[in-house]
Amino acid sequence: MPILLCCALLFLAIEKPDKKPPDDSVSPEVAAAAQLAKVRRIYIDTLTGGDAALQIHDLLMTSLQNSKLFIITEDEDKADAVLKGSGDDDVFTDTHQYSDGLNAHSQFGAASSEGLRNYSNSSNNHSGGVSIGENESRKSDERKHEAIVTVRLVAKDDDVIWSATAESLGGKFLGASADVADKIAKRLAADYKAAKQQAASPIPGAVAPPK
């Protein structure tokens, strides 16, 4: 009997404790920010949307690499999170129609009549007109691009911890696709820095003061 009791106590001692239940007191926003703050290595998955999406994928990789905040890996198993989504770059023609015109029209006239009983009758009539018309219409076609990207950052437990959408008709020095990739990278970098500050704050949800 003592042997059985010792075995039971030993079994209880080595039994793995139950997993800690999730803390429901933390808001989803704070929980997502806490996970985002831990991301260091990112894998960029193939974006859906055809050939344009493939180009945007490469531009995203370059923009995120240039942020100097993340390690971009091509091995999904090594990544802390995966960037997924879709992208497109539509080409359309913007048509402008211009019309210039000049018109002038003038008329004048005069009439007179005189009568003298038993002697003579006379009458004078004058009329005239001036008309000028000139119309010119122009049409111009401009080829433009409109790019849109929608992405989400997915953690290893398949939770979406960040998402964003960007649109662009092209920037001053960047094309439409390059501009949306740059916007996504800058937004992720800004939110990542804010998440790191939030994680370092003693109060959940507060932002640490600048050093």
Side-chain angles (χ1 to χ4, degrees):
M1 187 67 179
I3 296 177
L4 294 176
L5 182 60
C6 291
C7 290
L9 292 174
L10 182 61
F11 176 77
L12 291 174
I14 64 174
E15 185 180 6
K16 293 183 179 180
D18 295 335
K19 291 183 179 180
K20 185 180 179 180
D23 187 1
D24 295 333
S25 63
V26 179
S27 68
E29 182 180 2
V30 173
Q35 286 185 283
L36 178 60
K38 298 176 182 178
V39 173
R40 182 65 175 170
R41 187 174 276 103
I42 295 177
Y43 172 80
I44 304 176
D45 200 2
T46 302
L47 302 179
T48 60
D51 294 338
L54 295 176
Q55 182 183 16
I56 295 173
H57 169 276
D58 293 340
L59 291 168
L60 274 172
M61 184 177 294
T62 301
S63 297
L64 287 174
Q65 185 73 36
N66 290 338
S67 71
K68 310 297 183 182
L69 294 174
F70 308 102
I71 298 172
I72 307 303
T73 179
E74 294 191 351
D75 188 345
E76 186 175 354
D77 295 333
K78 293 182 179 180
D80 302 317
V82 178
L83 192 69
K84 302 180 179 182
S86 61
D88 196 10
D89 189 339
D90 290 328
V91 181
F92 64 96
T93 301
D94 195 6
T95 302
H96 301 276
Q97 183 118 20
Y98 306 92
S99 179
D100 298 328
L102 175 64
N103 286 284
H105 183 72
S106 178
Q107 288 184 340
F108 61 89
S112 65
S113 64
E114 295 181 2
L116 180 63
R117 190 174 56 179
N118 299 327
Y119 289 94
S120 64
N121 292 309
S122 64
S123 65
N124 294 315
N125 291 297
H126 302 280
S127 64
V130 176
S131 179
I132 300 174
E134 183 178 354
N135 289 292
E136 181 182 358
S137 62
R138 291 172 296 162
K139 179 181 177 182
S140 65
D141 294 333
E142 185 178 359
R143 191 168 178 265
K144 291 185 176 181
H145 287 253
E146 182 177 17
I148 180 171
V149 175
T150 299
V151 292
R152 62 193 183 277
L153 194 63
V154 183
K156 282 186 173 293
D157 57 3
D158 292 332
D159 287 345
V160 177
I161 59 177
W162 181 84
S163 62
T165 298
E167 298 177 77
S168 177
L169 292 173
K172 187 174 182 180
F173 302 107
L174 296 173
S177 293
D179 194 39
V180 290
D182 185 63
K183 287 180 178 179
I184 291 293
K186 287 180 177 178
R187 193 175 305 175
L188 178 56
D191 291 345
Y192 176 74
K193 291 178 181 178
K196 295 286 284 185
Q197 287 186 335
Q198 181 174 303
S201 302
I203 302 174
V207 177
K211 296 180 179 179

